[in-house]
Structures are given as structure tokens and as C-alpha cells.
Amino acid sequence: MTTQQGPQRQGRSAAGPRTLAEELRARPDDALAALLRSRPDLLNPVPGDLTQLSARLSSRASALRALERLDRFTLQVAEVLATAPDGTGLATVRTLLTGPAKVKPHPGATPLTPADRSAVAAALPRAIATLRDRSLLWGPDNGLRLVLAVREALAPTAANPGRTGLGPTLSDATVGMSPARLQQLLASAGQPATPDPVTAVDALAALLNDRARCAALLDTAPEAALRLLERLVWGPPTGTVPDATRPVTAEDAQSPVEWLLARGLLLPSGPGSVVLPRELALHLRGGRTHRAVEPVQPEPAPAAAPRDPQAVDGAAAGQAHTAVKTVEELLDTWGLTPPPTLRAGGLGIRDLKRTAQALETTEQQAAFWLELAYAAGLLAPDGEADERWAPTPAYDGWLQRDTAERWSVLAAAWLAATRVPALTGTPDGKGKPRAALGPELDRTLAPSVRRATLALLAELPPGTPATAAELLPTLRWQRPLRGGPTGPDGHELRDDLTAWTLAEAELLGVTGRGALAAPARALLTAESDPAEVLAPLLPQPLDHVILQPDLTAIAPGPLLTPLAQALALCADIESKGGATVYRFTPVSVRRALDAGRTAADLRAFLEQHSRTPVPQPLGYLIDDVARRHGILRVGAASSYLRCDDPSLLNEVLADRRSADLRLRLLAPTVLAAQAAPDVLLAALRTMGYAPAAESAEGDVLITRQDSHRTPPRTAPAPVPDGPPGPSPIPARACAEPTDEAVAAKAVPIRARAVRTRFDFFMPGSTSDAHRGHPEPSPGARVPARSRSRARSPVRMEQARSRLEGARSRSPRNARHWRVCVNPACQPVEGFPA
């Protein structure tokens, strides 16, 4: 059994692997390592075995990422394999790229010379190897198979013809077509009938794949039908027609579209659309899948003449020094006056303008320096409640390095950053301008475009400049699928990033006069330390200045960092450039004195670092400001203690119990304290003194213990025993009686049923109903009706007895009665009498 299985295994191995997992198992370790380096997303998370790795390789997301890293020719080879049937050989792929040698190419295709065909044949093995190494393709050369996710992403369809512009195959386009209709297509095309639909589709496909028979069929087509096919041949392969699914025969065809539909040269792709079959499109194209094949990378062709490499390095080194000093000046300014952070993140427009004015640059360049410091970790929000932008502790360590090392930190951060400062101020999706240091400036495409752009500059001869337009054709060939979104101007994000990269590289000193500098080459290759390459090119820092009689100091070159910081403390920078001009003013000298310097210190500092003597006007300025400095003193105190007896104040000051009050003698009769006034009063009383509080005007305050009061409150309502009754509704407004005899006898003047409850309003009542009328004046005349009823107390008793009887008979109805016994009662307006 063993001897019989041996040849079978050898034959299976010679025929190639059966699955992708089997192909992975046959790879050596270095090949698997190369696969993981080219597709790092496979390691997140780390696969447990090769079976898991194979499944992850077949996922759509991973396959699309791998396709984005292919160059144009390798991608074209993958598109050819997606167009051809699975298991296609290498020779067929080459034929689909170049077309058969003896077939006349389509007039719309780029003609291929023998040299071009040789270039395709030479580049094809490299492209196949790349697809194999990245596990996008597996199988032997005579049976190449794309990974299923790659085929699904690249295979042309009617809805998505892809970069080839082809449509679906005839087999795919006739899915769902009735067998009778297939037989009609065969008959109209002049082909014999077949026994079943499968053989009918095969017969139609064989007709279109046979160049001689297909050409003979097209020779019989009307001229208008051929012009219609020419419009669809290079894509898109679909067109719109009314009622595309109607069955049309050769005898019924009257229009060019119907002539093509009757013979299967156009097939319905929907109720109102038709599609050109892939086989016919390849026949019309001359057997080529692409209009133009690019097997070789186009090389940049700079129009500018090369420049002296030493001049390029010198210009780049000078700009690198300027970049370092600009970032230092920016962070020193923000360390003293940190701007606030916006609620949505980023920097406000006013703060950006203020920063640009301080740096004497544009807002766009100020945003670049801010983003550069942020990417290098030298700037960040402080994280407080009122968040502000401020330098980080790493900035202090960055200042201790020399200029070359500081530039190396900035350049490395810029090269790897996803931040795009040029987007500052551009409108976002809602039409609002994007803020500097905001969260909307990240673009994942930026690092790869920066590195690719600088790599192309590095491939040019030293000192050769190039523009973005000259580099873009090569960049598009290297990564055709990594163009990014298209902006409103019709340009891809990659086009803008390339131009921004060249501009930022010039600002940072990566390039000089448009050409790549030597330190940047070291930064890209990592073969040497960029700081070591840059250090000899930087101007040597100076330890001296030249003082002028017009109160200025000239630094003929870059100064040592301690000297520059000390000089900036006592003078203001007036102009920058090759030589920096500092100006001494009373404000700048006072700033140095406020920092603890004395006039003698300033004179000694200037004499030590000046190549010329200290001018007399500058000495007068220093002495005059120092003489007036500090005469007036400003301090802070929480309270004070005043007394006309200096001996008593000295006694309080000498008492050990007053140490916690932190007393200080300001004048013979005034002590300042850091304690609050109430704490000072309590402490002095504890020590046995009898102090009095004093107002801001100097008057003695009469103090007493305050009695605390609450805000206005209402009294609590008593809790009823049982369910609460309905609220009273006043029926009429009543006035107080003026006749004491009538009030004493409580003579009723009116009784009326109202909707509330049974109640009596007695004279002198303070209810809301009686508050409606003012009290009658003494001597006022009582109405005659009231006097007549007052003479008949029997009526009052009769009314009372009737109401009491009604209440006893029906307690429910009794609460709907209300009687007023006020003789001066008047009907309430709006109620019936």
C-alpha cells in the first residue's frame, strides 16, 4: 500500500497544492515571514496555526488592504486573472495583456511594439511572484487561482465593470433566461439547436470566442449596430433601452438594438438595460483586457536643472536651524501665555492669528509649526478643568539637546505623523472651518505619501529638484488604489498631499531649493544618524553680539542657547534673518530687573558678550530704569492691624502666639497679616487684646451676632381627618355691617343655593368673600329691604329651620347650600341673584 501511495503523492505534489492552506504549509519559514511583513494586518490577532492564517488571508477586508499595496502592472495582472476562468495558465494571462500577435488591435487601444511585448513578458513573472508571495494567488503556472475574495473584488460585472471596463460573461448574463429564448438566440445567430440550456449557452460562448465565426456574424450586422458596439467596447458595457427583456427574433428585429438582442450580441441586464457580453468585448478589443498596459514604472522627468549639492545642503541646514528656533520661540511664548482649548478640540481662530503675528508668519505656516510640535510630543493640552495648550515636560529635555538632535526629533515626527496641517481652515462635512490642532486633521494616507514622495526625490541625482506634477505619475503607478477621496476640485487626496509634502519639507529643512538634502537621505534610509550628518552643515553658534549706539544689538549668526535666552530677557527681537537685531527699551530692561537682575549684572553681561564697548546711551538707559525700579512696592495682604501706639504693635509682633498670623511691619503704626480679618480678630481677642473691626473707609464697625432667617415660607396645612372636601367657591362679595344692632341679631337678607358647601358668613368675618367690599362708613344708610327683614327675626329662624331640615334629610345635598347673613351683602358680579 505504501508503494502504491508514493507515486500518487508525488504526482499530487507535482500538480501543485489543492488548497491555499496546503500551499502555505509547503512554504519555508522565511517566505512566511515575508508574507507577514507585507501584510501586517494578518498578525492582529496572531493566528494560531496555518489554517487560521489561510482563513484570514481569504477575508475580504484583508484582501482589499493587500490590493491597495500593489503597483499598477501587478494589479493589471490580477484583473486579468479575475477576468479569465479559474485555473488559467501563464500564457493565457500574457495573451490577454498584449493580445494575440497576429490579431489587429482595436484602434482605441495603445499600440504595443515588440519592445513593449518583451517588457510585458519580462515583468509578468515578477508580478506573479508578488501575488504569490502575498497569498493573493496560488497554484502552478498552468493553473493559477486567485483567492476567492480577490476574484470577487476584481471580477467585472454589469454593475461594476472595474478598471477593465468589461461586463459579465455570457454564462453569467443569461442566468434565468428561458430555454426557449436560448434556442431563439441560437437560431437567429445561425447556429444549430441544442438539447438543453447548458449546451445552448456553451454554443453561444463558443461562437463569440471563435474569432472567424464571430467576425463573419459581425460582417452581416448593420452599420448602426456596429457603431453601437463601438460605444460599449471599452466600457461602461451597459446601455439603457426600453423593454430590454422582450423576446426579439431575427425576423422581428427592426432597429440596431433589436438586431443585436436577437442574436445574443447584447443581453438584457434588467428590465430597461442591456449589457455587452465579455466574450464579444474581448473580440472587439483584439483580445486585450486593458486599453493600455504599463509593465514598467514611469520615471520622473524634472524640468529644472540640477543644483549644486553643497548649496542644497547649506540651504536645507539653514532652514533646519530656523525651524528649530521657530518651534522653540513658539513653545516659549505658549509656556507663558497658554491659549485655551476649544470645547470640540483644537485651537481658536483668534489664538491662531495671534500666534502667527508673534511668529511673523502666515496662519497656514503657524498651523504647521503647531502641528509639528504636537506630533513631536512637545505640545499637548494640560488636562485641567479650563483646558489649555502648553509645552510638555518632554520640551524641557528637548531644549537640552543640540540643534541637530532637536531637528532630527522634529523631522522623524513629521515623517510618521498622520496630521495634515494644510487642512486647517478648510470646510468640513458641515461647512465649518477645521481648527488647528483639531481632531479632524488626521489622514492615514499622509505618512505613506510623504515617504513615497521623498523616496522618489532620493532616487534622483543629488541636487535635482522636482515638482508635484512631475512626481505624481510615478506615485500613481506605484499605488493606483491609494489615491484617497476626490475633493471638490476633482483632485485626489494624494495629489494634494504630494504638493503639501514638498512645501512642508522645504519649511522644515528636509529639502533645500527643491532638492532632497543629505540629512533627509539619512533619515529615509536609517543607515546613519541624521543629526550627525546635519551637525557639520549647521552654522556654528556664536557667543558674542555687537552693541550699537542706537540701543540695538546685532547677532551676526545663531547664538548659543543660554546667550540667546539671556539676551531675549533684556531686549526685544526687532528683525530676524541671517543676522538677528535686538533692541533695548525701558520695558525690556525693566523685564530683566523684574527677573532678579541688577544694573551691575546687566552691565557685566553685556561687557562679557559684546565685541564692542557698552554704548553710553545704553548705560544711561540701564541706570535710569534701575534707579526708578522698585521704589513703589506692590504686595498682597489678607488683613491689616493699625494702632497709634507703636509699642503696642511691637508687643503684638513679638508675641509667639501671633506666629500663625504671619504679621509683617509695614509702618510704625501698621501691621499686615496673611490671615482673614475675622481670624485676626479672634486671635487677638484670644491673646487678651480688645481689637475693633474697621471698614474700608476707616470707620469702626458695630458688629453683633447675626440672626439667621430662612427665605419666605408658607405655613403647613393641617392634615384632615378623612378624605378632603371640595374647595369653597365664593358666591357673592359681602361688606361689614355698620349697624351694631343688626350685627348682633344676625338678620339674614338673602339665602341662595350655590354649588359648594353649607356654611354661614357671620358679620365681622374675614373670609375672602367679605374682603371683596370695603367696610361701610359709620352712619351709612342700610337698604330698606334689610331694615324690613331686620324687624322680622322670625324669617331668619324660618330660613334656618328649612336649611337644617334639608341638611338632615340629605347630607349630600346640604353641602350645596350656602347662606349669607350679612345685611349689607351684594350679589357677586356674574352670579345669578
Side-chain angles (χ1 to χ4, degrees):
M1 181 180 296
T2 304
T3 57
Q4 293 177 357
Q5 290 180 350
Q8 184 179 2
R9 290 179 179 175
Q10 292 178 1
R12 181 177 301 169
S13 176
R18 296 174 300 175
T19 60
L20 177 60
E22 186 176 335
E23 194 269 344
L24 290 175
R25 295 187 183 95
R27 289 193 182 188
D29 293 342
D30 56 348
L32 291 175
L35 168 63
L36 297 178
R37 282 193 297 267
S38 62
R39 299 178 64 174
D41 59 286
L42 299 174
L43 293 174
N44 188 20
V46 178
D49 52 20
L50 292 179
T51 303
Q52 291 185 5
L53 178 61
S54 174
R56 198 168 298 172
L57 286 168
S58 303
S59 65
R60 180 177 177 83
S62 180
L64 292 179
R65 293 192 189 97
L67 290 175
E68 290 179 350
R69 298 183 176 92
L70 298 179
D71 59 63
R72 178 166 297 172
F73 182 70
T74 306
L75 182 61
Q76 287 180 339
V77 173
E79 290 169 346
V80 169
L81 289 169
T83 302
D86 210 7
T88 302
L90 190 60
T92 305
V93 174
R94 183 169 57 249
T95 303
L96 289 174
L97 285 171
T98 61
K102 297 181 180 181
V103 176
K104 182 180 178 180
H106 189 273
T110 303
L112 295 178
T113 62
D116 296 333
R117 293 179 179 272
S118 300
V120 171
L124 184 57
R126 177 192 59 81
I128 295 295
T130 300
L131 294 175
R132 275 204 182 103
D133 293 341
R134 302 184 183 184
S135 292
L136 301 175
L137 177 71
W138 60 281
D141 290 345
N142 59 353
L144 300 174
R145 298 178 181 274
L146 283 176
V147 175
L148 182 59
V150 178
R151 176 173 290 277
E152 292 176 350
L154 298 180
T157 60
N160 183 22
R163 302 168 65 89
T164 61
L166 295 171
T169 62
L170 189 140
S171 176
D172 294 335
T174 56
V175 172
M177 187 174 291
S178 64
R181 180 57 184 162
L182 291 174
Q183 297 300 326
Q184 287 179 356
L185 295 179
L186 284 174
S188 299
Q191 302 299 313
T194 59
D196 53 66
V198 176
T199 55
V201 172
D202 293 341
L204 288 173
L207 171 64
L208 299 182
N209 288 325
D210 190 338
R211 299 198 62 84
R213 289 194 297 161
C214 185
L217 178 61
L218 292 176
D219 290 340
T220 63
E223 187 66 25
L226 295 179
R227 289 196 303 268
L228 180 60
L229 293 177
E230 285 295 322
R231 296 173 57 184
L232 304 177
V233 63
W234 291 108
T238 57
T240 303
V241 296
D243 196 10
T245 57
R246 64 186 183 277
V248 182
T249 61
E251 294 78 9
D252 300 335
Q254 298 180 356
S255 64
V257 175
E258 291 179 349
W259 193 93
L260 297 172
L261 285 172
R263 291 160 178 80
L265 302 182
L266 284 181
L267 295 173
S269 60
S273 61
V274 294
V275 64
L276 181 67
R278 187 184 305 172
E279 294 85 352
L280 180 58
L282 290 175
H283 173 85
L284 296 174
R285 293 182 179 189
R288 293 173 58 174
T289 55
H290 295 81
R291 187 191 295 264
V293 182
E294 300 181 55
V296 181
Q297 171 182 303
E299 297 298 334
R307 298 179 171 88
D308 183 11
Q310 294 183 355
V312 169
D313 293 343
Q319 189 59 36
H321 181 270
T322 303
V324 171
K325 293 303 179 182
T326 303
V327 173
E328 180 180 349
E329 179 184 357
L330 167 66
L331 296 181
D332 284 343
T333 303
W334 278 28
L336 298 176
T337 56
T341 303
L342 295 178
R343 182 179 302 177
L347 183 70
I349 297 178
R350 294 182 179 179
D351 293 319
L352 179 61
K353 292 181 178 179
R354 194 176 298 113
T355 302
Q357 292 176 357
L359 298 179
E360 298 180 0
T361 184
T362 62
E363 296 178 16
Q364 202 67 34
Q365 291 187 6
F368 169 72
W369 299 121
L370 290 172
E371 291 290 346
L372 181 63
Y374 178 61
L378 308 179
L379 178 69
D382 58 7
E384 300 294 336
D386 296 332
E387 198 171 53
R388 295 178 176 273
W389 292 99
T392 63
Y395 172 64
D396 300 325
W398 181 77
L399 284 177
Q400 303 303 320
R401 303 184 181 185
D402 56 24
T403 304
E405 292 179 348
R406 285 192 276 176
W407 177 86
S408 179
V409 172
L410 296 178
W414 169 76
L415 188 61
T418 59
R419 308 284 297 177
V420 182
L423 292 175
T424 302
T426 58
D428 58 6
K430 299 180 180 179
K432 298 181 180 179
R434 296 184 176 93
L437 300 174
E440 298 181 347
L441 302 186
D442 285 287
R443 296 296 183 272
T444 57
L445 188 61
S448 60
V449 172
R450 287 197 193 104
R451 185 170 289 275
T453 302
L454 298 182
L456 287 181
L457 291 177
E459 294 176 359
L460 298 175
T464 304
T467 62
E470 296 166 349
L471 298 177
L472 276 174
T474 306
L475 293 176
R476 294 185 183 121
W477 188 91
Q478 291 177 346
R479 296 292 185 270
L481 297 182
R482 291 283 286 176
T486 302
D489 54 356
H491 294 164
E492 292 180 335
L493 178 61
R494 173 176 50 200
D495 301 351
D496 296 332
L497 287 176
T498 303
W500 296 337
T501 296
L502 295 178
E504 293 171 0
E506 195 72 19
L507 280 177
L508 188 55
V510 174
T511 59
R513 303 179 64 182
L516 194 67
R521 296 178 185 271
L523 181 67
L524 288 175
T525 59
E527 296 177 355
S528 57
D529 189 2
E532 296 178 356
V533 180
L534 177 63
L537 302 174
L538 290 173
Q540 294 298 322
L542 304 177
D543 61 350
H544 65 274
V545 295
I546 301 175
L547 295 178
Q548 301 289 327
D550 59 349
L551 300 180
T552 60
I554 298 177
L559 300 177
L560 293 171
T561 301
L563 175 59
Q565 292 176 346
L567 191 60
L569 183 63
C570 59
D572 297 327
I573 297 178
E574 191 173 71
S575 64
K576 303 175 184 178
T580 306
V581 178
Y582 296 84
R583 178 167 293 279
F584 295 90
T585 63
V587 176
S588 64
V589 174
R590 187 182 305 115
R591 184 172 63 238
L593 297 177
D594 291 338
R597 308 294 194 275
T598 62
D601 295 338
L602 291 179
R603 284 180 171 272
F605 167 74
L606 295 176
E607 291 174 355
Q608 178 183 0
H609 295 285
S610 175
R611 290 295 178 89
T612 59
V614 178
Q616 190 177 28
L618 180 58
Y620 287 163
L621 175 64
I622 295 175
D623 293 339
D624 182 61
V625 175
R627 183 172 53 255
R628 293 183 287 110
H629 183 266
I631 296 178
L632 297 177
R633 301 294 181 91
V634 177
S638 299
S639 58
Y640 66 89
L641 181 62
R642 184 173 65 84
C643 181
D644 295 334
D645 186 2
S647 60
L648 182 59
L649 289 182
N650 292 331
E651 178 183 347
V652 174
L653 185 62
D655 197 326
R656 294 182 179 180
R657 293 174 293 176
S658 65
D660 295 338
L661 301 177
R662 299 168 63 187
L663 299 175
R664 183 165 62 94
L665 186 65
L666 297 182
T669 59
V670 179
L671 286 176
Q674 297 300 324
D678 54 345
V679 177
L680 180 60
L681 283 171
L684 292 175
R685 288 165 181 163
T686 304
M687 295 166 59
Y689 300 100
E694 189 175 75
S695 65
E697 291 78 13
D699 300 329
V700 177
L701 293 177
I702 305 301
T703 61
R704 66 175 183 178
Q705 187 176 2
D706 294 333
S707 180
H708 190 66
R709 296 290 186 273
T710 68
R713 297 287 187 268
T714 57
V719 179
D721 185 10
S727 301
I729 300 178
R732 54 186 84 246
C734 303
E736 295 290 340
T738 56
D739 194 339
E740 296 180 356
V742 175
K745 295 180 180 179
V747 179
I749 62 173
R750 185 183 297 261
R752 184 174 61 88
V754 296
R755 184 189 174 192
T756 52
R757 61 183 178 177
F758 184 82
D759 198 358
F760 286 97
F761 289 163
M762 299 300 296
S765 172
T766 59
S767 64
D768 292 339
H770 290 275
R771 293 171 189 166
H773 289 281
E775 181 177 355
S777 59
R781 183 177 180 182
V782 180
R785 186 178 181 182
S786 299
R787 291 197 302 270
S788 62
R789 293 198 177 189
R791 299 188 192 99
S792 304
V794 179
R795 294 189 177 183
M796 173 62 185
E797 296 299 333
Q798 293 175 352
R800 187 188 302 276
S801 61
R802 287 196 299 268
L803 294 177
E804 288 294 345
R807 186 175 186 180
S808 60
R809 291 192 301 270
S810 178
R812 180 178 179 182
N813 296 332
R815 58 181 179 175
H816 296 289
W817 295 84
R818 184 172 181 172
V819 176
C820 180
V821 295
N822 193 340
C825 179
Q826 299 293 334
V828 178
E829 183 179 358
F831 285 86

